[in-house]
Amino acid sequence: MFLKTFFSTIFLVLVLFSCAEDHETKFSSINVTTNNNKLVEINIPKAEGNDEIAKTINTEINKVVSASLHIGEGAPNTETSIEENIEKFNTEYNTFAKDFPESTFPWEAQIDGEVMFQSPAIISISITSYLNTGGAHGNVHISFLNFDAGTGKRLENESLFISQNDFESLAKTYFEESIEDKSILFDPENFQLAKNIGFSEDGLILLYNTYEIAPYSAGIIEYTIPAEELNSLLTINSPY
């Protein structure tokens, strides 16, 4: 009887462990392109595992990548597939090349994504896009995406903190320590919280893209708040 109970317990533990592994979201790296594509290179993570969670995460990644390929005025259509937006980007260039045959500089787009941080509570992904459509220089833009690991739902920055005011005060302290020359800022007297906030092994990264708070020459500005400073401020239980 003892052996039967013992082996039954072991079997149950293994089953539960296996189920937990099956529900864990894993990521692979994929290259997205089309048959007629000559201008766009895309390498992004793809969520796999629980169908609903993976689908939700992949949908959000697709929206950000699709928006990154948008050319011209008006809001981007993020409901279309990445492949459709790749084709549209190539078509836009072909039209431009016909209208301005003297322009020999080809357009290009490079989009790369990576999983910055993953725990049982949260998943953070960064998407870096570089677009050059014939201007003086290309434009780099980085987007951080935070997801609830249990649902796949994208988390808005405001939902990450128990007190937005307390977090802003902490962020301002680290921002001021990281900026040696405040004269590079558009408005050095007023602190502006970064729109891009993402988790890493070291803590919370706050990132300002080019032109957000400083001119192009300043480049991308970022700083990190150490993980140990965040425990009492986060709405997420045990992200680290």
Side-chain angles (χ1 to χ4, degrees):
M1 177 65 70
F2 171 78
L3 286 176
K4 183 177 180 181
T5 303
F6 173 77
F7 284 118
S8 296
T9 302
I10 293 296
F11 176 76
L12 179 60
V13 170
L14 290 173
V15 168
L16 291 174
F17 181 75
S18 176
C19 289
E21 281 196 327
D22 290 343
H23 284 82
E24 179 185 357
T25 303
K26 294 180 173 60
F27 290 88
S28 61
S29 180
I30 61 170
N31 174 268
V32 187
T33 189
T34 65
N35 292 333
N36 300 317
N37 174 40
K38 296 181 179 179
L39 306 172
V40 181
E41 178 73 21
I42 297 178
N43 298 287
I44 54 174
K46 180 181 179 181
E48 300 171 342
N50 181 291
D51 289 343
E52 285 304 314
I53 294 175
K55 181 180 178 181
T56 302
I57 293 174
N58 290 331
T59 297
E60 288 297 319
I61 293 174
N62 289 357
K63 287 181 179 179
V64 173
V65 173
S66 293
S68 298
L69 291 171
H70 177 68
I71 301 296
E73 300 178 355
N77 185 355
T78 58
E79 300 303 320
T80 54
S81 68
I82 294 176
E83 288 83 358
E84 288 175 283
N85 284 285
I86 291 174
E87 288 292 325
K88 186 176 180 181
F89 188 90
N90 278 267
T91 300
E92 292 277 358
Y93 170 71
N94 291 334
T95 301
F96 172 83
K98 288 180 181 178
D99 292 342
F100 302 95
E102 69 280 4
S103 176
T104 59
F105 192 88
W107 292 5
E108 62 176 318
Q110 173 79 41
I111 301 175
D112 296 296
E114 66 171 334
V115 179
M116 300 166 55
F117 180 80
Q118 182 173 7
S119 75
I122 194 165
I123 298 168
S124 282
I125 292 172
S126 70
I127 305 292
T128 301
S129 64
Y130 169 81
L131 262 68
N132 193 330
T133 55
H137 52 72
N139 292 316
V140 176
H141 188 277
I142 299 174
S143 299
F144 290 160
L145 290 68
N146 298 308
F147 299 94
D148 183 322
T151 65
K153 180 182 177 181
R154 185 171 176 181
L155 301 171
E156 299 300 328
N157 290 342
E158 294 77 12
S159 69
L160 297 174
F161 310 107
I162 296 171
S163 169
Q164 188 74 9
N165 289 336
D166 288 347
F167 174 70
E168 284 195 24
S169 296
L170 179 64
K172 182 179 180 181
T173 299
Y174 278 91
F175 174 80
E176 292 179 343
E177 290 177 356
S178 68
I179 303 296
E180 296 180 359
D181 181 9
K182 290 186 173 56
S183 67
I184 66 170
L185 305 176
F186 290 139
D187 190 0
E189 299 303 318
N190 294 309
F191 171 71
Q192 177 182 330
L193 190 65
K195 297 176 182 177
N196 269 307
I197 299 175
F199 290 80
S200 72
E201 293 292 341
D202 296 324
L204 210 58
I205 301 174
L206 288 86
L207 182 146
Y208 301 88
N209 280 294
T210 307
Y211 295 121
E212 284 188 353
I213 61 171
Y216 179 83
S217 58
I220 291 171
I221 297 173
E222 66 174 276
Y223 61 100
T224 301
I225 301 176
E228 59 267 19
E229 295 273 10
L230 301 167
N231 291 331
S232 62
L233 296 177
L234 296 173
T235 57
I236 304 163
N237 291 324
S238 304
Y240 290 99

